[in-house]
């Protein structure tokens, strides 16, 4: 197994990408190219949640993916610093595809909570002038082939997680409104897998419903799953990622999401 941490900092930032990748023996079957997932933990743009990093990487690694976890800039950094770092991370994975046995046409980004918002920003803005150039790459280098979103922050409207937008924008309300994902979705947005829980009291399920509506309107392929139970931030929804004493974070139905995503991702 390849396990290392590399710099994907932009403009002197300290952003890093942790690599969790198979390094198989010389064998025709196991040396087949593998899909990759760049994982973007949540944390409201105030911190990077460890529960949504390594545990998810190891689960996806076991499912046949080369996995990467982005530790990106948070407060006091503001938009677009973290977006540039995610773009750099995706470009790094594609640039090292041969070394890591990655299929460069199957590089997904998996984001959770505010990390889901960041993943969506890249999905919406990968082709905008200047973003790829700011990280020394091309638009094709930084474009995700698919998104996997867990209880994502989406809207700056009535169902917003206000703290995420305030922190990302530095308190600039006009900028925050301009980062509302449902208003940014276009027909170049990557195909998207979304899951949420109906009981989420921090980032209401309407965030995912608004995203699905926008994707449908733009003709973007998507798969939406709303599980009935569970609070915000349940990650793998099992005991590995549940906080001590928080039995409600263990949700058997939602535990199926990694396999559901993998089946969907393979069905391109």
């Amino acid at each position: 197994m390849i396990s290392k941490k590399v710099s994907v900092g932009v403009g002197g930032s300290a952003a890093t990408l942790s690599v969790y990748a198979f390094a198989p023996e010389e064998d025709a079957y196991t040396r087949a190219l593998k899909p990759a997932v760049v994982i973007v933990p949540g944390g409201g743009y105030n911190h990077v949640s460890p529960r949504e990093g390594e545990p998810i990487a190891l689960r996806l690694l076991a499912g046949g993916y080369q996995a990467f976890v982005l530790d990106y800039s948070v407060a006091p950094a503001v938009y677009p610093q973290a977006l540039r770092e995610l773009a750099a991370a995706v470009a790094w994975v594609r640039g090292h595809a041969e070394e890591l046995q990655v299929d460069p046409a199957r590089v997904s980004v998996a984001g959770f909570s505010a990390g889901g918002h960041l993943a969506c920003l890249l999905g919406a803005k990968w082709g905008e002038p200047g973003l790829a150039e700011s990280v020394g790459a091309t638009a094709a280098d930084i474009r995700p082939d698919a998104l996997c979103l867990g209880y994502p922050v989406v809207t700056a409207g009535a169902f917003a997680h206000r703290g995420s937008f305030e922190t990302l924008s530095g308190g600039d309300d006009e900028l925050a409104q301009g980062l509302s994902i449902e208003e940014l979705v276009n027909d170049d947005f990557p195909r998207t897998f979304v899951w949420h829980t109906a009981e989420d009291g921090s980032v209401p399920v309407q965030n995912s419903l608004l995203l699905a509506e926008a994707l449908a309107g733009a003709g973007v392929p998507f798969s939406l799953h709303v599980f009935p139970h569970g609070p915000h931030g349940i990650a793998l929804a099992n005991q590995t990622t549940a906080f001590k004493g928080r039995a409600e974070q263990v949700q058997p139905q939602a535990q199926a999401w990694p396999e559901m995503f993998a089946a969907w991702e393979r069905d391109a």
Side-chain angles (χ1 to χ4, degrees):
M1 178 177 169
I2 301 169
S3 179
K4 62 182 179 180
K5 187 174 289 189
V6 299
S7 172
V8 289
V10 178
S13 76
T16 60
L17 191 67
S18 296
V19 179
Y20 301 82
F22 286 107
E25 300 295 327
E26 292 291 337
D27 177 274
Y29 180 77
T30 58
R31 289 193 65 82
L33 294 180
K34 298 179 181 295
V37 180
V38 176
I39 297 162
V40 190
Y45 290 111
N46 276 301
H47 66 281
V48 176
S49 170
R51 297 184 311 112
E52 294 163 341
E54 183 172 84
I56 291 171
L58 295 176
R59 177 71 172 270
L60 293 175
L61 180 71
Y65 290 84
Q66 306 290 54
F68 307 83
V69 178
L70 179 63
D71 188 353
Y72 54 96
S73 295
V74 294
V78 295
Y79 178 83
Q81 182 61 37
L83 175 59
R84 289 173 176 163
E85 293 163 356
L86 177 54
V90 173
W92 187 93
V93 171
R94 282 213 172 90
H96 292 79
E98 182 175 358
E99 167 197 344
L100 296 170
Q101 296 178 229
V102 164
D103 182 346
R106 292 178 66 190
V107 179
S108 301
V109 174
F112 300 85
S113 192
H117 182 264
L118 183 54
C120 286
L121 283 176
L122 183 61
K125 294 178 173 289
W126 64 269
E128 289 190 358
L131 178 58
E133 290 80 0
S134 73
V135 299
T138 68
D141 293 331
I142 68 171
R143 183 187 187 277
D145 293 299
L147 299 182
C148 174
L149 308 174
Y151 40 87
V153 171
V154 171
T155 183
F159 299 102
H161 184 261
R162 298 291 175 197
S164 291
F165 284 97
E166 289 172 3
T167 302
L168 178 62
S169 68
D172 183 334
D173 187 61
E174 183 177 355
L175 174 59
Q177 292 300 317
L179 299 176
S180 196
I181 300 301
E182 76 275 22
E183 303 297 335
L184 299 175
V185 169
N186 53 59
D187 58 7
D188 286 329
F189 201 89
R191 65 193 191 100
T192 301
F193 177 95
V194 193
W195 70 275
H196 218 119
T197 60
E199 295 177 343
D200 193 325
S202 297
V203 177
V205 70
Q206 283 89 344
N207 281 260
S208 287
L209 300 179
L210 285 166
L211 176 60
E213 183 178 17
L215 293 170
V220 176
F222 71 95
S223 184
L224 171 65
H225 304 271
V226 178
F227 299 106
H229 303 300
H232 185 69
I234 58 176
L236 291 174
N238 61 19
Q239 292 180 342
T240 300
T241 56
F243 284 122
K244 184 177 181 180
R246 295 288 304 278
E248 72 275 15
Q249 292 182 335
V250 178
Q251 292 294 334
Q253 290 186 56
Q255 290 171 17
W257 77 258
E259 288 73 29
M260 295 168 69
F261 162 69
W264 172 87
E265 188 275 331
R266 287 193 299 266
D267 187 27

